[in-house]
Amino acid sequence: MLPAVEASSAPTPPADVLESRRTLPDRIGDAALKWITAAAAAGSVALIGLIIYKVVDGARPSIEQFGLGFVWHETWNTVTNQFGALDFIFGTMYTTFWAVLFGGPIAIAIGLYLSELAPRGVRGVVGSLVEMLAAIPSVVLGLWGILVLGPVVTSTFGPWLNTAFGWTPFFSSLPASGSTMFTAVLVLTIMIVPITASISRDLFGQVPADIKEGAYGLGLTRWEMTRGVMLPYTRGGLMAAVLLGGGRAVGEAIAVTQVAGITTHGLSVNLFTTGDTLGSRIAEQYQGAVSNLQIASLFYLGVILLVMSLVTNFVAQIVVRRYAIEKAA
Amino acid sequence: MEAPNGSLSLSARGRARRRLVTNRVAELVATVAAFGAVAVLAIVVWSVLQRAIPALNLDLFTNVQATYGETGGGISNAIVGSVIIVAIATALALPMGVLVAIYVSEFAHEQIKRYVRLALDVLNGVPSIVIGIFVYALLVLGSGYAAWKASFALAIIMLPLVSRSTMEVLNLVPNSLREASFALGVSKWRTVLFVVFPTVRGGILTGTTLAVARAAGETAPLLFTTSVFLNSVVTDPRQAMDTLPFTIFIYSEAADKTLNDQAWAAAFILMAFVLVSSLTARFLLSRSERKLRGR
């Protein structure tokens, strides 16, 4: 995915000069290959449009019924057919926020270790192992989260965090079971760390050696050089890396469904209660949906999720791209 | 500077010492973070393996789920289903992805190139559950579940991965190779298909393997396209099939201990496949890139 592929234009033979001497099969072959591949490219661009259209279309009854108010209404009642997305938008953003808060610094620290500290032999091994973490299927992480991590949260993390940080609203109660937003945050953290870490490592690798050496030449320690040179130099890219990680957390549905429980407690900031996100609500209710309006409302949640993740990814891509171009120039 | 009693000490003191300590602490934090991530991987792999062992036996691979009340049984139907669905998805995504990459690297103008790449990155960022409901709305609504619809959804997830990795290896092919071919009077399409393409076959293969590993573990699209419970092995892609991820998803919340064990066993099979194939792909990728770069 990253860094952006460098644009090296493939050469083309001077067609106009040679046109008359080219054989018919070659003329047909050139045009055919060009247009077939162009059609494939156009198709993949059109696919995004089709996805947006189909999901919005599926949400239409709900959009007509609730309008934009859907976004800030809390009720989700299948009996009275009243639906609102606020709880799930909150749940998505809140779990993502904590996962990024935990995962971002860890991931950047890993990036620094891999690019600056790790000995040659260790670098490749640790780097690929960290990337392996991203390859674990989310359903397996969810299974692990519910059956292994959940009990640990109840027995160990819960009492400990409640004793230490019980005065904050975030850990104000003991977890009733292993299915908490906190468990979901931990699982999401595990998912975003490898993504952000490997982008950070690549970014740090792009810092020119001469300015690093300049900093060392002034007598700075490695950490002072990192803080004074590496971090400012890569700031934009690091933000994008964290955003891309956050984008993954926003879109994750399966693992959250498995570990976060299925009920919401309104807009509770207590991490030791159960919670629900946009993705997990869709995954839970797609089959038991009782009315067309409920199905449409689930699609509406999908629209919101799509918008959130598209905006996140789009901004991140633009930042990365601008960054790559600036640095290349 | 000051050398009390005439003895010159080279160890840092005061401010200098504080700077060195800060530096050492920062290095330690970064190292702990990296090895912590590796430890988490080890813990996850170990706890899956440990719990999967009791359920790992031949029955698991040869039998379908036991009827209620009986012991034993297996998940052969889910294994077969996953293999078929992912194979069809690959057959859809691979040619499409390679064609898109060829267009971008060999034909497109600078501006169009940028848009197609952006589109692929955006597609890569669409949450898999949204792709699930998209395919549900497009294909499933009104006509029901089928394995090929799941393959279609997985192919959408694989497309940007295959395409981007193919573009990257195509960009590594030196232009002198293309120019040499043109200089011999070979037309563009022959150059692309018979000169450029053979050099990147290895790269495409590894990129595709990574995409397969990713697709095999996806669950969300399967929920909307082929979420069923069957007691038989299905091989007709026009019907719904059991799959490994969906089996794990359902069994993970089952109260039955045997089913929990089977969820762990399924998770182990899935994880082993995904980790081994992505490790192999990464290894091959770095080797083929080194070869293309001329070491």
Side-chain angles (χ1 to χ4, degrees):
Chain A
M1 181 169 54
L2 289 163
V5 183
E6 271 316 307
S8 68
S9 297
T12 310
D16 47 335
V17 185
L18 297 169
E19 194 59 47
S20 54
R21 300 190 54 183
R22 293 201 306 157
T23 61
L24 187 64
D26 275 354
R27 266 184 262 173
I28 294 171
D30 277 5
L33 188 64
K34 180 171 178 178
W35 289 111
I36 290 170
T37 56
S44 61
V45 176
L47 190 58
I48 294 174
L50 187 63
I51 290 174
I52 295 170
Y53 170 75
K54 268 299 186 187
V55 175
V56 171
D57 192 47
R60 189 153 293 157
S62 180
I63 294 174
E64 279 162 8
Q65 177 85 21
F66 302 114
L68 262 184
F70 187 78
V71 174
W72 54 81
H73 275 115
E74 255 193 82
T75 332
W76 186 275
N77 192 325
T78 50
V79 181
T80 60
N81 256 339
Q82 279 296 317
F83 300 105
L86 188 63
D87 278 359
F88 316 118
I89 296 175
F90 171 78
T92 303
M93 290 182 142
Y94 192 60
T95 48
T96 302
F97 167 78
W98 279 98
V100 165
L101 195 69
F102 290 154
I106 294 175
I108 292 171
I110 294 173
L112 280 172
Y113 173 81
L114 291 175
S115 73
E116 295 300 304
L117 293 174
R120 242 177 208 298
V122 178
R123 182 173 306 176
V125 177
V126 173
S128 351
L129 285 177
V130 170
E131 281 178 15
M132 283 296 104
L133 207 50
I136 297 179
S138 58
V139 70
V140 174
L141 263 188
L143 175 74
W144 179 78
I146 190 173
L147 293 177
V148 179
L149 188 61
V152 177
V153 167
T154 333
S155 67
T156 313
F157 287 146
W160 187 74
L161 284 168
N162 184 246
T163 315
F165 299 103
W167 50 274
T168 63
F170 313 121
F171 305 105
S172 57
S173 72
L174 285 173
S177 73
S179 301
T180 63
M181 282 202 279
F182 185 71
T183 324
V185 167
L186 290 183
V187 168
L188 291 177
T189 306
I190 294 175
M191 287 179 181
I192 67 179
V193 160
I195 300 173
T196 310
S198 77
I199 303 173
S200 315
R201 179 195 52 194
D202 294 347
L203 287 167
F204 291 137
Q206 288 172 17
V207 178
D210 50 353
I211 63 171
K212 282 160 66 178
E213 279 156 16
Y216 284 136
L218 290 170
L220 299 192
T221 63
R222 184 139 43 187
W223 165 242
E224 286 163 343
M225 188 282 290
T226 303
R227 233 184 41 182
V229 175
M230 306 267 282
L231 293 181
Y233 192 89
T234 51
R235 192 179 296 143
L238 288 179
M239 267 165 52
V242 170
L243 267 180
L244 284 172
R248 170 81 200 267
V250 164
E252 180 50 45
I254 295 303
V256 175
T257 310
Q258 285 166 291
V259 301
I262 47 166
T263 49
T264 67
H265 293 261
L267 306 182
S268 167
V269 293
N270 185 351
L271 285 170
F272 285 144
T273 56
T274 54
D276 218 343
T277 65
L278 293 166
S280 65
R281 175 56 51 134
I282 301 172
E284 285 147 21
Q285 298 209 334
Y286 75 101
Q287 255 182 344
V290 287
S291 66
N292 285 334
L293 193 59
Q294 187 183 357
I295 293 175
S297 298
L298 290 173
F299 270 96
Y300 204 163
L301 294 182
V303 172
I304 297 169
L305 181 57
L306 188 60
V307 169
M308 279 170 70
S309 57
L310 284 186
V311 168
T312 316
N313 275 287
F314 208 71
V315 171
Q317 294 296 348
I318 300 229
V319 173
V320 168
R321 233 151 268 220
R322 173 175 315 154
Y323 177 84
I325 291 164
E326 260 173 31
K327 296 304 171 198
Chain B
M1 288 287 182
E2 39 180 314
N5 306 332
S7 72
L8 185 69
S9 165
L10 286 177
S11 61
R13 260 171 288 147
R15 232 171 80 80
R17 191 177 153 75
R18 209 166 57 234
R19 288 174 56 201
L20 287 182
V21 170
T22 313
N23 181 51
R24 189 49 61 81
V25 169
E27 287 182 1
L28 196 70
V29 167
T31 312
V32 167
F35 284 95
V38 174
V40 169
L41 175 72
I43 290 170
V44 173
V45 171
W46 171 244
S47 47
V48 171
L49 180 64
Q50 198 186 15
R51 287 165 180 77
I53 284 173
L56 278 178
N57 52 38
L58 203 62
D59 278 356
L60 195 72
F61 296 93
T62 53
N63 283 3
V64 296
Q65 197 202 322
T67 42
Y68 184 75
E70 280 176 35
T71 54
I75 50 169
S76 64
N77 43 347
I79 297 175
V80 171
S82 265
V83 169
I84 293 177
I85 286 174
V86 172
I88 298 174
T90 311
L92 291 171
L94 177 59
M96 182 82 176
V98 170
L99 286 177
V100 174
I102 288 180
Y103 178 72
V104 169
S105 309
E106 309 291 324
F107 292 102
H109 294 289
E110 226 26 73
Q111 196 67 20
I112 296 174
K113 245 182 218 186
R114 213 172 300 151
Y115 285 128
V116 177
R117 277 204 213 106
L118 183 64
L120 290 172
D121 286 344
V122 167
L123 195 59
N124 193 27
V126 174
S128 55
I129 192 147
V130 173
I131 290 176
I133 59 173
F134 159 67
V135 175
Y136 180 79
L138 186 72
L139 300 175
V140 177
L141 218 57
S143 59
Y145 294 146
W148 70 269
K149 295 169 185 172
S151 302
F152 182 76
L154 293 181
I156 297 176
I157 291 169
M158 293 174 73
L159 175 67
L161 300 172
V162 173
S163 193
R164 286 303 301 239
S165 60
T166 306
M167 272 178 220
E168 269 167 49
V169 281
L170 276 175
N171 272 310
L172 292 176
V173 177
N175 272 346
S176 53
L177 196 66
R178 299 184 178 96
E179 283 157 0
S181 171
F182 294 148
L184 291 171
V186 180
S187 62
K188 176 135 186 171
W189 73 282
R190 281 179 192 279
T191 305
V192 170
L193 291 186
F194 303 112
V195 177
V196 176
F197 189 72
T199 63
V200 297
R201 257 191 320 227
I204 294 173
L205 186 72
T206 52
T208 307
T209 312
L210 282 178
V212 166
R214 162 90 190 272
E218 282 292 346
T219 316
L222 305 178
L223 288 182
F224 302 94
T225 47
T226 182
S227 55
V228 285
F229 278 116
L230 302 170
N231 273 324
S232 55
V233 176
V234 178
T235 50
D236 179 0
R238 284 168 303 180
Q239 292 171 17
M241 295 178 189
D242 283 300
T243 55
L244 281 174
F246 186 67
T247 304
I248 301 169
F249 183 64
I250 296 301
Y251 285 5
S252 72
E253 285 166 3
D256 187 349
K257 173 84 172 56
T258 325
L259 294 187
N260 268 343
D261 283 349
Q262 289 194 356
W264 285 110
F268 175 74
I269 296 169
L270 187 60
M271 198 171 67
F273 170 73
V274 167
L275 291 186
V276 167
S277 55
S278 45
L279 261 182
T280 319
R282 259 166 233 282
F283 174 71
L284 292 175
L285 193 67
S286 65
R287 220 180 52 169
S288 73
E289 269 180 17
R290 227 176 310 145
K291 219 161 64 185
L292 269 176
R293 286 210 176 92
R295 234 152 311 255

